[in-house]
Amino acid sequence: MKTPVMPDPTTIDRTERSPQATDSTSGDELEFRHQPETRGRMGSLPGVRILGCGSYVPDHVVSNEDLAALGCDSEWIVRRTGILERRHATADQATSDLCYEAAVRCLADASVSVDQVDLILVATITPDHFTPSTACHLQKRLGAFAPAMDLGAACAGFVYALATGAQFVAAGNAKRVLIVGADLMSRTIDPNDKKTYPLFGDGAGAVLIGPDDSRCPDEGGVDQTDADGPSGILSYQLGSEGCGGEMLCIPAGGTRLPLTEEARREGLQYMKMDGRNVFKWAVRVFDESAKDVLAAAQVNAEELALVIMHQANQRIIDSAVSDLGVPKDRVFVNLDRYGNTSGASIPLAMDEALRAGRIKRGDYVLLCGFGSGLAWGTALLRF
């Protein structure tokens, strides 16, 4: 059995922006200075299992050809991103509607009733309202008797929520935690921006987590734990580089800049993205955090059964996994069908991978979400 070796938990993240770094809006490259041992907070939560998965995407398919009327070049989209189509919610659908559909499928998959759910977490940056939380909307619609809250870490949100929910389970304060990642990104992108509008789609994915009961002795007193080690989150890293936050930002609509008519005319209610620098940052942060997480758990990249990255861009995925040395057939991709669904992308991909038989009991699976904040979350799971 391998025992994860974790760094000193008191270690702080001293990632800094270099004095030479420039504002991303100028188009100049941002540089970051690291102290290698302090890239992010490390942790381990073995014995917390994924008990079920579910996902949902809207019925409305928007192909690259459908975007031609907006002046978007279909070949450019495929060449630069790998996206062929995406899903858009209808006008009467909100984020909580997608959450509900994914949650119902997840609970059915786990054979768990709503009244057994102890906590509901929703990772989203496109809530139904500023308040109440989307998680509370979901709790009401499910008929659950459980506390509920949202987490806003964008494309890293699901891994943040997974780590948060697993803490409750590991501490014995919850036995069944429902975690949903969902976003309606089509509502955040300027339809007139030909470079960003084709990238995003809408969707939701859900997982139910709980303690690994196989770690307890059966009726004959035999320990059922797998001989190769426990299941659960063997190691994880959460980190942020807020100095690069302007690279992915919706300027207006909050307390810093209310959504006035003037701001609306300038399109400041839509996401602004410095794609070139985000690309470089994403490849770098995946490479560094993945190696940190694998090293902490004493697992080699060759032992991974599957890598599920945030589905942002095919070129990012290809560049990142090539640096890690993972074969392409061990990298799950559904970006071509859904585009970038932000907080939904990892649980949506995980659900599809499980249903396709790409993950089985005892497999090592590496998750990595990265995006606005700038924030990232990387976790090594053993199913």
Side-chain angles (χ1 to χ4, degrees):
M1 172 177 169
K2 298 176 181 177
T3 302
V5 179
M6 310 314 301
D8 182 351
T10 62
T11 301
I12 62 173
D13 184 350
R14 295 189 177 86
T15 302
E16 301 176 7
R17 187 171 176 171
S18 73
Q20 294 76 30
T22 57
D23 192 323
S24 64
T25 56
S26 69
D28 295 329
E29 182 175 352
L30 284 170
E31 297 177 0
F32 296 91
R33 181 171 65 243
H34 288 282
Q35 295 185 11
E37 300 305 318
T38 59
R39 279 190 286 260
R41 295 281 185 170
M42 301 289 296
S44 176
L45 292 161
V48 180
R49 286 193 59 207
I50 290 178
L51 307 175
C53 288
S55 61
Y56 175 78
V57 292
D59 293 333
H60 181 46
V61 178
V62 180
S63 68
N64 291 345
E65 289 71 25
D66 293 330
L67 299 178
L70 299 176
C72 299
D73 186 319
S74 177
E75 292 185 5
W76 180 90
I77 296 171
V78 176
R79 186 173 65 254
R80 301 290 292 181
T81 70
I83 300 169
L84 300 174
E85 60 187 36
R86 70 288 295 147
R87 302 297 182 95
H88 283 182
T90 56
D92 62 344
Q93 286 181 310
T95 299
S96 65
D97 296 319
L98 275 61
C99 288
Y100 174 78
E101 297 295 341
V104 168
R105 288 162 171 76
C106 176
L107 294 175
D109 182 59
S111 299
V112 169
S113 60
V114 170
D115 63 326
Q116 293 176 284
V117 175
D118 301 314
L119 176 66
I120 299 172
L121 304 176
V122 173
T124 186
I125 56 168
T126 59
D128 289 22
H129 309 100
F130 281 140
T131 189
S133 71
T134 301
C136 282
H137 284 302
L138 175 61
Q139 178 263 335
K140 175 185 176 181
R141 188 166 177 189
L142 286 172
F145 184 73
M149 64 179 177
D150 287 357
L151 286 87
C155 306
F158 175 76
V159 179
Y160 268 67
L162 181 64
T164 300
Q167 306 284 349
F168 280 84
V169 175
N173 292 322
K175 293 205 69 175
R176 299 290 182 266
V177 178
L178 177 64
I179 302 168
V180 186
D183 276 306
L184 265 62
M185 296 304 295
S186 64
R187 309 279 172 86
T188 70
I189 308 302
D190 186 352
N192 296 313
D193 187 339
K194 301 174 185 176
K195 291 187 177 180
T196 59
Y197 190 72
L199 306 182
F200 295 90
D202 305 334
V207 300
L208 187 75
I209 62 172
D212 183 2
D213 295 333
S214 69
R215 302 185 74 201
C216 303
D218 61 19
E219 294 181 359
V222 179
D223 189 346
Q224 303 172 64
T225 303
D226 193 301
D228 292 331
S231 62
I233 304 174
L234 302 189
S235 63
Y236 71 89
Q237 182 185 88
L238 303 179
S240 62
E241 294 176 352
C243 50
E246 69 275 11
M247 293 199 292
L248 272 168
C249 178
I250 298 177
T255 57
R256 178 65 62 188
L257 179 61
L259 187 55
T260 61
E261 284 302 319
E262 180 181 358
R264 190 184 297 276
R265 284 195 298 271
E266 295 179 16
L268 299 182
Q269 74 274 31
Y270 295 123
M271 181 176 289
K272 310 300 178 184
M273 181 172 67
D274 178 0
R276 183 167 65 98
N277 280 318
V278 169
F279 183 103
K280 294 178 180 180
W281 172 82
V283 171
R284 186 260 298 169
V285 81
F286 171 80
D287 178 65
E288 293 178 350
S289 65
K291 289 175 180 176
D292 287 346
V293 165
L294 290 172
Q298 299 181 11
V299 172
N300 297 319
E302 295 78 16
E303 297 178 79
L304 295 173
L306 203 63
V307 175
I308 302 177
M309 295 175 61
H310 166 51
Q311 306 288 297
N313 183 303
Q314 186 65 55
R315 294 194 304 147
I316 291 177
I317 295 173
D318 290 343
S319 297
V321 296
S322 65
D323 291 341
L324 190 62
V326 177
K328 285 188 176 182
D329 63 358
R330 296 187 191 177
V331 181
F332 192 86
V333 177
N334 61 7
L335 171 77
D336 54 324
R337 291 178 287 122
Y338 303 125
N340 183 339
T341 56
S342 189
S345 73
I346 291 178
L348 175 58
M350 188 188 301
D351 182 45
E352 292 198 339
L354 281 163
R355 296 185 189 286
R358 300 282 299 276
I359 303 173
K360 63 182 183 300
R361 177 83 163 157
D363 279 350
Y364 292 115
V365 178
L366 185 69
L367 311 180
C368 183
F370 46 83
S372 181
L374 298 170
W376 74 90
T378 303
L380 176 66
L381 275 60
R382 188 165 188 269
F383 275 75

